Amino acid sequence: MKKYHIILLFLAVVLTTGCYNRRTPSRFQIPDSTRFADTLTQAQLDSLTKEQQDSADFSLKHHYNVGFNFIVRADSLELTAQQPEEVVSDMMVDSFAIKKDSRIAVTDIRILSKDSVDSVWVQVVSEQYQLGWAHEKELLAKVDPDDPISQFISTFSDRHLIIFLIVISIIIVGYIARKLMRRNSRIVHFNDINSFYPTLLALIVASSATFYATIQNFAPETWRQFYFHPTLNPFSQPWPIEIFLVSVWAMLIVGIAAVDDTRRLLKFDDAFWYLCGLGAVCAVDYIVFSISTLYYIGYPLLIAYIFLAIKVYFRHHRDTYICGNCGAKLHRKGRCPYCGTMNE
């Protein structure tokens, strides 16, 4: 099967499944009222009661409401059995812990302006039907939305993981570069194959990382809304998220084409090490551009990287000639390295 057929098949799968937003099944489910507030017009908001308006405003600002489902990602989540008013009044408090990976649902939200720690209190129910209260800041620091995409975002946003990835990437890149230089093997940007897909994949990863950091800098609430209500369908999101999701799908599609071209142009052993090197370069691109863009250095760095990567590929790695004797592809005119024929 040609790579073009693979890409078309992949696009068909994406188009037929992109609108499906999978929710992790739970033993209990409370109707989610958050999306209702997102669809209201200003006229509709004005016609609501004060309690309904407060609920809609809370949904828009906090991106969740009564009925929203979370999963505990910390070692434990401590909840208070008493009412928030009793806790604020310094009364004796009974508390209990919810274990890691437990699913909880929001059952009530209360605003206490007298609370100097956090005015927002959230009541949740566990899978064992235990009811308890917690400050919103404490709650959100220890839970993720009960959706695999949200959990994936949370994992890759963790600072400890980023530091770990930086260290591991440096070690892997150093090892693979040493291995490839000794073997005089192919590696993207340096001793590349006659396919633009690997270079294009590295550029898409760098651009996606830059755009991700740009959203963090200039539209954090847009990203927060996506975090609480994720989807793989780019056509149902605001334009910043839409562009980011399109780049993610492009990354997957171009990645398939890069693997297919590498398998076709290189032997299995060489193809394996080339793809390892390509993965290491993409990892470095993600780390460098996602971090540097937070400090606005990533923008000129990305422009320079795109210019140099394209220039190097077309100048040194693209085969534009064909041997008149054996038909082998050649980078430049001269003696054919395969049959020895001189091509003028």
Side-chain angles (χ1 to χ4, degrees), residues 232-290:
L232 294 178
N233 179 14
F235 306 111
S236 62
Q237 297 296 307
W239 69 265
I241 303 297
E242 181 177 323
I243 294 175
F244 176 75
L245 288 176
V246 167
S247 69
V248 171
W249 282 117
M251 199 185 306
L252 293 174
I253 296 171
V254 174
I256 293 174
V259 171
D260 185 64
D261 261 7
T262 303
R263 178 189 58 82
R264 180 176 56 85
L265 296 172
L266 299 177
K267 296 179 180 178
F268 177 80
D269 187 45
D270 292 332
F272 171 78
W273 285 108
Y274 179 85
L275 291 175
C276 287
L278 177 60
V281 169
C282 289
V284 171
D285 284 344
Y286 167 77
I287 293 171
V288 169
F289 286 97
S290 61

Side-chain angles (χ1 to χ4, degrees), residues 15-262:
L15 292 175
T16 54
T17 61
C19 294
Y20 177 63
N21 186 15
R22 178 181 177 273
R23 287 283 179 181
T24 306
S26 176
R27 286 168 47 187
F28 60 95
Q29 187 77 24
I30 300 175
D32 189 352
S33 61
T34 307
R35 291 192 180 277
F36 168 71
D38 297 338
T39 61
L40 294 178
T41 63
Q42 188 59 47
Q44 290 172 322
L45 283 172
D46 294 338
S47 65
L48 299 177
T49 64
K50 187 178 187 308
E51 183 179 348
Q52 291 173 324
Q53 288 182 7
D54 291 341
S55 178
D57 289 340
F58 186 90
S59 296
L60 293 173
K61 293 177 181 178
H62 297 254
H63 311 289
Y64 72 94
N65 210 319
V66 174
F68 198 86
N69 292 289
F70 291 102
I71 185 167
V72 180
R73 64 177 170 87
D75 292 335
S76 64
L77 171 65
E78 188 171 327
L79 298 176
T80 301
Q82 276 76 16
Q83 296 296 312
E85 291 83 358
E86 298 175 356
V87 179
V88 175
S89 301
D90 294 328
M91 298 180 62
M92 294 295 294
V93 175
D94 293 328
S95 62
F96 59 94
I98 303 295
K99 295 181 180 179
K100 184 177 183 178
D101 297 327
S102 298
R103 291 186 173 87
I104 58 177
V106 177
T107 58
D108 194 8
I109 296 169
R110 202 166 294 175
I111 310 296
L112 298 182
S113 57
K114 296 181 180 180
D115 193 335
S116 59
V117 178
D118 185 0
S119 61
V120 181
W121 282 83
V122 181
Q123 185 187 54
V124 297
V125 59
S126 70
E127 292 178 290
Q128 288 73 37
Y129 300 100
Q130 297 172 290
L131 281 168
W133 291 86
H135 284 114
E136 183 189 49
K137 291 180 181 178
E138 181 182 352
L139 174 70
L140 296 183
K142 296 184 177 181
V143 300
D144 287 329
D146 190 12
D147 187 285
I149 302 176
S150 299
Q151 294 158 30
F152 179 85
I153 293 172
S154 176
T155 299
F156 273 82
S157 300
D158 187 84
R159 292 182 180 179
H160 296 92
L161 179 65
I162 293 176
I163 295 173
F164 174 77
L165 286 176
I166 292 174
V167 174
I168 292 297
S169 296
I170 292 174
I171 295 173
I172 292 176
V173 169
Y175 171 77
I176 292 178
R178 186 168 179 266
K179 188 86 173 176
L180 294 178
M181 293 304 177
R182 282 187 172 185
R183 292 162 48 92
N184 194 28
S185 298
R186 300 283 188 170
I187 183 169
V188 66
H189 298 329
F190 298 98
N191 187 24
D192 213 344
I193 61 177
N194 183 32
S195 172
F196 187 63
Y197 288 119
T199 298
L200 181 59
L201 177 62
L203 295 179
I204 292 175
V205 170
S207 301
S208 298
T210 302
F211 199 76
Y212 164 76
T214 300
I215 296 175
Q216 297 291 323
N217 279 339
F218 299 105
E221 286 304 311
T222 301
W223 181 259
R224 188 172 175 82
Q225 173 68 14
F226 175 71
Y227 168 69
F228 276 91
H229 304 281
T231 177
L232 294 178
N233 179 14
F235 306 111
S236 62
Q237 297 296 307
W239 69 265
I241 303 297
E242 181 177 323
I243 294 175
F244 176 75
L245 288 176
V246 167
S247 69
V248 171
W249 282 117
M251 199 185 306
L252 293 174
I253 296 171
V254 174
I256 293 174
V259 171
D260 185 64
D261 261 7
T262 303

